[in-house]
Amino acid sequence: MSEVCRFAPSTTGPAHLGTLAAALLCWLDARSRGARLVLRLEDLDPDRCRPEFARAIEEDLAWLGLDFDERVEQHARRAHHEAAMDRLEALGALYPCSATREEVRAIGRRAPDGGFAYDNRARGRALPPGGWRASVEPIRARLPDGVFRPLDEGGLDLSQEPALAMGDPVVRRRDGAFSYQLAVVVDDGAAGVTRVVRGRDIAPSTATQAALQALLGLPAPVYRHHLLLLEERGGKLAKTHGAARGAALARSAPALTGALACCVGLRERPDPCTPAELLREFDWSRVATADRVVSLRDGSLTLTASGP
Ligand code: GLU
């Protein structure tokens, strides 16, 4: 069976250096294995996603020389997300719960992703007579009990009891949008994704996704969660760094590719290079495992330290 990989940026802002480093690693992984590579623009959040951000991200990826075999806009897959909701409803796994983010925070139980765990308090509630479509409340999916152990090729321990550690996830929000957790599982399944390469910040969600895959009868991909590029203050590189291409450093795509390769540990020096050149020497054993702190100074991307 041939392998299928995907890169799935959220279209909540222009690409930043972390986005492009993640895209480069995903592309190198897929191309080095002869896998099919899907670009999925995750644009379901009506408050934060903008078509112009999607366009800007795609332009940056193309400018960098990263190509894809298929392009998916997640909002266009609504019928599939609805079908998954119908399936979950038929399994009796859906229930409404109007608990707000603040109320979940007030429960006071920390979750492995740094947020707060939901305590499944509304599990006993039924959907209204018209089913999930008739509910004006957020809807959660009751996860199966027990520990899930998704496989991380890089050796990260992803085992977790998601129903307890994170709590049942929201699958449809109050505003009617389907959640990331539902859509990622449905869309990875539909595209036949066999390998998920993504940043380590999402690792704590993997067991929840494995539990939803089990409910929906979808196969589990193999995962590889890679290092993150951090800001000097220690946080994940964020949109505050602005569009990477707009940075003074990005005078040429090879200059930025070389700097990114150095940031993730593929090259010792940030000499200009192309993704195709990196592909010839690519191996995950050459990629740094610890997160890297980077800073933009005087128009050049400086790796200030290894590790946060
Ligand atoms: N859309 C998510 C992000 O940009 C990534 C989702 C995934 O790779 O599963 O952080």
Side-chain angles (χ1 to χ4, degrees):
M1 194 187 67
S2 63
E3 293 187 299
V4 181
C5 309
R6 79 340 183 245
F7 179 58
S10 298
T11 61
T12 50
H16 52 83
L17 296 167
T19 319
L20 296 182
L24 179 64
L25 287 172
C26 195
W27 184 90
L28 289 168
D29 177 81
R31 295 298 179 228
S32 67
R33 309 171 74 90
R36 183 172 172 73
L37 181 57
V38 178
L39 172 65
R40 185 173 67 232
L41 298 158
E42 300 209 324
D43 56 1
L44 290 191
D45 186 337
D47 300 331
R48 299 168 63 220
C49 297
R50 299 268 178 278
E52 56 270 31
F53 293 146
R55 271 197 303 277
I57 291 170
E58 280 195 277
E59 278 173 17
D60 281 0
L61 296 173
W63 174 81
L64 212 53
L66 305 179
D67 64 332
F68 297 85
D69 304 310
E70 190 185 331
R71 171 184 185 279
V72 175
E73 291 181 354
Q74 202 163 36
H75 75 265
R77 297 195 35 78
R78 185 167 179 91
H80 300 268
H81 304 147
E82 289 179 352
M85 290 291 286
D86 289 340
R87 181 142 187 209
L88 291 172
E89 181 174 342
L91 291 168
L94 296 183
Y95 63 92
C97 176
S98 58
T100 61
R101 206 178 280 269
E102 290 68 41
E103 284 165 339
V104 172
R105 176 186 289 266
I107 298 166
R109 243 187 38 219
R110 280 287 180 184
D113 65 353
F116 288 87
Y118 170 67
D119 59 1
N120 306 335
R121 58 178 56 181
R123 267 192 175 185
R125 291 191 53 201
L127 289 171
W132 67 266
R133 285 181 177 80
S135 174
V136 292
E137 294 177 80
I139 296 172
R140 292 184 182 260
R142 184 184 314 125
L143 297 183
D145 292 330
V147 177
F148 285 80
R149 295 186 173 78
L151 190 66
D152 187 279
E153 220 183 51
L156 215 60
D157 181 6
L158 300 174
S159 56
Q160 192 196 87
E161 188 163 1
L164 284 180
M166 306 284 279
D168 293 337
V170 170
V171 284
R172 199 212 59 186
R173 305 181 346 172
R174 195 183 304 271
D175 63 5
F178 294 118
S179 73
Y180 159 68
Q181 301 290 11
L182 178 83
V184 70
V185 164
V186 171
D187 295 346
D188 281 348
V193 167
T194 56
R195 292 176 65 72
V196 171
V197 172
R198 60 187 181 186
R200 206 177 282 148
D201 52 327
I202 313 175
S205 281
T206 315
T208 295
Q209 292 167 16
L212 286 170
Q213 284 154 3
L215 273 175
L216 289 165
L218 295 168
V222 168
Y223 294 86
R224 184 182 277 271
H225 292 89
H226 56 69
L227 79 162
L228 301 177
L229 300 187
L230 304 177
E231 292 181 339
E232 284 172 290
R233 286 186 312 252
K236 198 184 137 188
L237 264 192
K239 322 271 173 190
T240 50
H241 269 70
R245 214 176 135 186
L249 141 107
R251 278 182 291 267
S252 78
L256 183 54
T257 305
L260 290 172
C262 186
C263 282
V264 301
L266 278 172
R267 288 263 172 110
E268 271 174 32
R269 294 162 42 85
D271 297 336
C273 63
T274 63
E277 283 161 3
L278 292 174
L279 184 57
R280 285 200 282 277
E281 63 203 51
F282 181 69
D283 190 289
W284 278 106
S285 66
R286 301 169 61 120
V287 177
T289 50
D291 294 343
R292 293 281 180 102
V293 178
V294 298
S295 64
L296 263 176
R297 266 197 213 101
D298 304 328
S300 71
L301 187 58
T302 317
L303 189 63
T304 49
S306 289

